[in-house]
Amino acid sequence: MAQAEDFEGFVEARYAALARTAVLLTGDRGTGEDLVQEALIRTYTSWGRVRDVGAAEAYVRTTMVRLLLRDRRRRWSGEIPHADLPDRPSPPADPATAHSVRAALRLLPTDQRAALVLRFYADQSEAQIAETLQCAPGTVKSRISRGLLALRAGGLLTDETIATGASS
Amino acid sequence: MTKLEDLLEDAVAGEEFTPPGPGLYAAAARRRRRARLRPIGAAAATLLAGGAVFAAVSGRPGPSDQAATLLTDTSTVPACVRAELAQMRTNVTTNDQSAVVVDIPATPKQLMTQGVTSGYGWVGVSTVRVLRDNAGNTPPASFPMWEGTTPDANPAPGRHLMTVWLDTSPKTPGGTYGEPIWGFNDTHFPVVGGDAVIGCGGGTYRMSLDQIASRWLTPGTSTALPLTQWPARGDLTGDAALMAAAARLDGTGTRVVYAGTQPGGIGLVVAVGAHAIAVHRGSPDRPLADWDHVSGAAPKAGWPDVLAVALGERDPRLVLLAAPGTTSIAVSPEPVIAGALVVRGPWRAIPATDGVAAVEVTARTAYGIAVRGPSGRQQPVVEVLPVAGKEPRVPETGAVDTPEALARRTVAQTWATPATVIDSRHLAAPSGATIDGRTLTGIDVTRLTVDGHPFLNVAADLTGPDSQASDMVVQASLLEGAYAVRAVLVTADGLGPVIAFPVVPVSGAASGQLVAADGRVLAVASARSDGTLVVTTKVSASEVSQLRLLDAAGAVVADMPVADPRDQDPLDVHG
């Protein structure tokens, strides 16, 4: 089982990577940091039961996603929920900037955003994403598909961008 | 060619993060320690059988020589029981746990694994009854359950009321999940017959499971001792003459809820009558009749769960009173604008000793301060004495000539009136709408500055069936030079119900839109010549997701989240 001191070492080593994932999951640095820290705190309370420190990062990432999904109606604020694309897309002036990517992510429904980040940033398989999101693999497929369509409609992606992205 | 992976990678590649260090570990340790040290029902537990009370089974002494008190009347439930049940309700309503009655087997605990976690627990815990079901966290008829964080948190074998959740730890790479395992919260109570047995505060109490399910685990109900039943607290409560005088000053039935000396030697007495709140301030060496006395009507929307009394003059403190046993009161000192023009009000937990706390305020922050108590969503009512030189204002009487005069009067009245009814519902209504049987015939918007603080005032003209016009006033604080925080809403007479209008005065915004969560534009309005903006819509407030401001070219200037109308917190404006 993991030792308490392992936790500090784990945080020191993996905090930045986890925080970047959280920023993409929330679309905002501040709320992303809140999210990752809450997930780490929750991880710590269960740290004594963590058998494999190597799997801890997946544990924290899963916790982040579930916190995000659970609290999407409450906090991790700044989120602008849209069930569908807005009538008038808000394409960023420069689609390649970090700001515009985050802005485009924020416009996505939380579950679609989480699926895209896990697939294309965390490099998880659809089966792994399904476990994390606690849904069927088919649901993951549709969320990714809808998310990609939304990003394309918003001007962030081109067909080529999607085509050259990771395939499932 | 850019891949989506690259876009995402680049979107955060420039972000540098410093590990939070000791602060995080301390917070984590505190949370774990709370889980370990929290006094639990089982820890103080007694088992009740056949009317007799037996000593606790958890190793801690129980009040074995005391018969359990059956609690049937809500008003007589002790504060400690309320606190225990409030925790259980939070587990259910906030943390999505399910409240169930279970039988813990007497068989030894076993080593179990679930995903990346491993530990001891019970196999064959059986579900007897589900009091509150949260989808996904309700166990089957028989299920495995982790033991507590520490052994002393474990329930004894037998029947218990507890809240549980499904532990879904991620699996190890290449591994499998195995059988689902549930966890339980430290707040749990032995069950005997149809009653839960709650040991706390040196006593042992019984409450029927039906009552717990219908009353205490229901969202929206307060478990805190109501204000009208608060005991007197403070170092001056031993002054019999003072207490008697305070109880007499506002007629019979007055209850003194606080009598204490403030830093600097000033005495403060807060008394609650059947229909009024009275605040006395003065020298403890003088008779109460010589003290300053401010009295205000009780809020019509119900008693708050926190009273915030600003002391005024040279004492920049806000004394916060909540139900006895309350250990923390949340305060939002002033609204702020975060990045991307998202307005939010951060909340800070102020430690309270037996429901009493104090926080420093200034004249500036006092205009935007808000408090909330144990319920978290109770209507925040701020009881004020004049703060930092702001003396009470006596509302003007007589006809109001201009909208600005009305606005000034209302602002002054609001500030001076202790029982300001505050409501944060955003229920927009267009001209011609009917509100409580009265027709909305006009909206007047006035921007004004009171004592250097910007305010926005919206007066809605309502005409009733008797053709008598009346005013309903919506008042909103403004952030300096920027946007309305969101409406802090009052009627002219301090009564509800209240309507609100998403109103944003902003320089540079030529128009505004109310936008639904699905992106539909619900309403559009152009800025007025004075720069204010009034957008109205017939749709339910719950449909409105955000207020979008656009410049003359149609470009979005800002998106402001519109508060959830169910959120009764006037400053907590997260989207």
Side-chain angles (χ1 to χ4, degrees):
Chain A
M1 294 194 185
Q3 301 300 310
E5 54 269 25
D6 293 339
F7 180 74
E8 296 187 14
F10 165 72
V11 172
E12 292 293 321
R14 301 308 303 161
Y15 182 77
L18 289 166
R20 291 190 185 101
T21 304
V23 169
L24 291 175
L25 286 171
T26 61
D28 176 78
R29 180 183 170 110
T31 47
E33 284 207 271
D34 287 348
L35 179 61
V36 67
Q37 291 184 18
E38 175 64 21
L40 286 169
I41 286 173
R42 287 170 186 249
T43 301
Y44 182 72
T45 60
S46 301
W47 191 251
R49 293 207 304 262
V50 172
R51 288 180 294 153
D52 180 1
V53 178
E57 185 166 352
Y59 187 106
V60 177
R61 193 161 51 223
T62 300
T63 304
M64 286 196 299
V65 171
R66 290 180 183 170
L67 282 172
L68 184 72
L69 294 175
R70 192 201 69 181
D71 290 353
R72 59 187 156 184
R73 293 184 185 280
R74 295 203 294 266
R75 294 295 175 255
W76 315 122
S77 58
E79 165 186 327
I80 305 171
H82 284 271
D84 298 301
L85 279 178
D87 294 334
R88 191 170 65 87
S90 49
D94 177 5
T97 63
H99 175 78
S100 61
V101 172
R102 293 185 200 178
L105 287 173
R106 279 200 302 271
L107 288 174
L108 297 175
T110 309
D111 49 6
Q112 290 181 24
R113 191 190 322 143
L116 286 179
V117 171
L118 292 175
R119 182 71 188 95
F120 293 98
Y121 183 75
D123 200 26
Q124 289 190 352
S125 69
E126 287 175 352
Q128 290 173 316
I129 297 171
E131 291 174 357
T132 301
L133 299 181
Q134 297 174 297
C135 64
T139 305
V140 174
K141 283 180 183 291
S142 66
R143 286 176 182 173
I144 289 176
S145 175
R146 288 202 302 270
L148 291 173
L149 284 173
L151 293 180
R152 182 168 53 188
L156 183 71
L157 298 179
T158 64
D159 289 341
E160 291 76 15
T161 312
I162 298 173
T164 55
S167 59
S168 25
Chain B
M1 196 173 293
T2 305
K3 296 179 181 178
L4 178 55
E5 292 98 319
D6 297 333
L7 285 176
L8 297 177
E9 190 74 41
D10 292 345
V12 290
E15 297 283 1
E16 296 297 331
F17 294 96
T18 303
L24 176 74
Y25 309 134
R30 277 198 302 274
R31 190 174 300 185
R32 187 154 74 173
R33 194 160 55 244
R34 276 203 303 274
R36 285 178 172 166
L37 299 181
R38 177 177 172 72
I40 55 174
T46 56
L47 284 180
L48 234 158
V53 180
F54 298 96
V57 294
S58 62
R60 300 188 194 179
S64 57
D65 58 348
Q66 180 181 353
T69 303
L70 181 62
L71 302 172
T72 55
D73 183 355
T74 300
S75 64
T76 61
V77 174
C80 70
V81 175
R82 291 173 182 274
E84 294 285 348
L85 293 171
Q87 177 59 52
M88 182 164 279
R89 186 180 65 168
T90 298
N91 297 339
V92 171
T93 59
T94 303
N95 300 329
D96 296 327
Q97 298 171 18
S98 293
V100 294
V101 177
V102 299
D103 279 339
I104 307 290
T107 53
K109 295 187 292 288
Q110 299 180 25
L111 183 62
M112 307 185 298
T113 60
Q114 161 67 11
V116 298
T117 61
S118 176
Y120 285 89
W122 299 272
V123 174
V125 176
S126 55
T127 303
V128 177
R129 178 179 173 184
V130 178
L131 268 61
R132 282 294 302 266
D133 178 10
N134 271 315
N137 280 331
T138 303
S142 178
F143 61 98
M145 186 170 76
W146 297 114
E147 69 170 342
T149 308
T150 57
D152 63 346
N154 286 339
R159 185 159 295 183
H160 300 268
L161 168 62
M162 54 177 49
T163 57
V164 300
W165 69 92
L166 179 62
D167 185 355
T168 51
S169 300
K171 67 179 178 59
T172 52
T176 58
Y177 276 116
E179 187 180 8
I181 300 175
W182 272 257
F184 71 94
N185 186 271
D186 287 351
T187 298
H188 52 77
F189 314 115
V191 171
V192 176
D195 298 335
V197 182
I198 303 170
C200 66
T204 306
Y205 307 92
R206 297 173 57 186
M207 184 180 289
S208 75
L209 295 172
D210 291 337
Q211 185 183 358
I212 291 174
S214 62
R215 171 67 177 82
W216 298 93
L217 298 184
T218 303
T221 57
S222 174
T223 57
L225 194 67
L227 184 152
T228 51
Q229 295 175 29
W230 288 357
R233 286 157 289 171
D235 63 297
L236 294 178
T237 53
D239 187 334
L242 178 76
M243 297 292 283
R248 280 197 307 269
L249 271 182
D250 291 293
T252 58
T254 297
R255 172 189 287 266
V256 177
V257 296
Y258 180 79
T261 308
Q262 306 306 304
I266 298 297
L268 177 70
V269 171
V270 180
V272 177
H275 306 291
I277 299 173
V279 179
H280 311 268
R281 182 189 56 191
S283 169
D285 299 329
R286 305 285 304 166
L288 190 66
D290 293 343
W291 290 24
D292 295 333
H293 174 208
V294 175
S295 182
K300 301 298 186 295
W303 292 102
D305 69 344
V306 175
L307 282 179
V309 182
L311 299 178
E313 293 189 341
R314 286 171 293 279
D315 190 343
R317 296 199 318 147
L318 196 67
V319 174
L320 306 171
L321 304 174
T326 302
T327 58
S328 176
I329 298 171
V331 173
S332 178
E334 69 179 317
V336 296
I337 294 181
L341 298 176
V342 173
V343 183
R344 62 188 178 91
W347 289 92
R348 186 159 56 99
I350 305 298
T353 302
D354 196 26
V356 180
V359 61
E360 286 201 358
V361 296
T362 65
R364 172 188 169 83
T365 59
Y367 277 103
I369 201 166
V371 299
R372 64 185 183 195
S375 65
R377 286 190 178 271
Q378 282 289 295
Q379 172 180 285
V381 175
V382 178
E383 182 81 12
V384 293
L385 281 174
V387 174
K390 296 188 179 307
E391 295 304 321
R393 299 165 186 273
V394 178
E396 297 171 6
T397 57
V400 175
D401 295 327
T402 66
E404 181 170 357
L406 173 63
R408 285 187 175 280
R409 182 178 71 106
T410 305
V411 169
Q413 193 175 38
T414 302
W415 182 241
T417 303
T420 299
V421 174
I422 300 174
D423 196 307
S424 62
R425 286 171 291 177
H426 281 235
L427 181 61
S431 180
T434 301
I435 301 162
D436 281 356
R438 295 181 293 176
T439 302
L440 179 64
T441 54
I443 302 171
D444 296 316
V445 181
T446 307
R447 300 176 72 175
L448 72 162
T449 301
V450 177
D451 296 333
H453 297 273
F455 276 85
L456 178 73
N457 206 81
V458 180
D461 299 326
L462 298 169
T463 302
D466 54 359
S467 299
Q468 294 293 312
S470 58
D471 296 323
M472 183 175 286
V473 177
V474 181
Q475 174 197 328
S477 300
L478 301 189
L479 295 180
E480 288 181 4
Y483 303 89
V485 175
R486 96 191 230 193
V488 174
L489 313 164
V490 295
T491 57
D493 58 0
L495 299 176
V498 179
I499 60 170
F501 306 86
V503 178
V504 177
V506 53
S507 58
S511 63
Q513 298 175 340
L514 287 178
V515 183
D518 61 6
R520 287 178 295 122
V521 175
L522 303 171
V524 180
S526 299
R528 301 179 178 195
S529 57
D530 63 357
T532 61
L533 194 67
V534 179
V535 191
T536 61
T537 176
K538 288 183 178 179
V539 302
S540 163
S542 60
E543 290 188 43
V544 180
S545 172
Q546 61 189 119
L547 179 59
R548 176 171 295 161
L549 305 178
L550 304 102
D551 64 15
V556 176
V557 176
D559 278 327
M560 296 182 63
V562 173
D564 186 333
R566 294 163 298 186
D567 186 349
Q568 294 299 300
D569 171 354
L571 289 178
D572 192 5
V573 290
H574 290 278

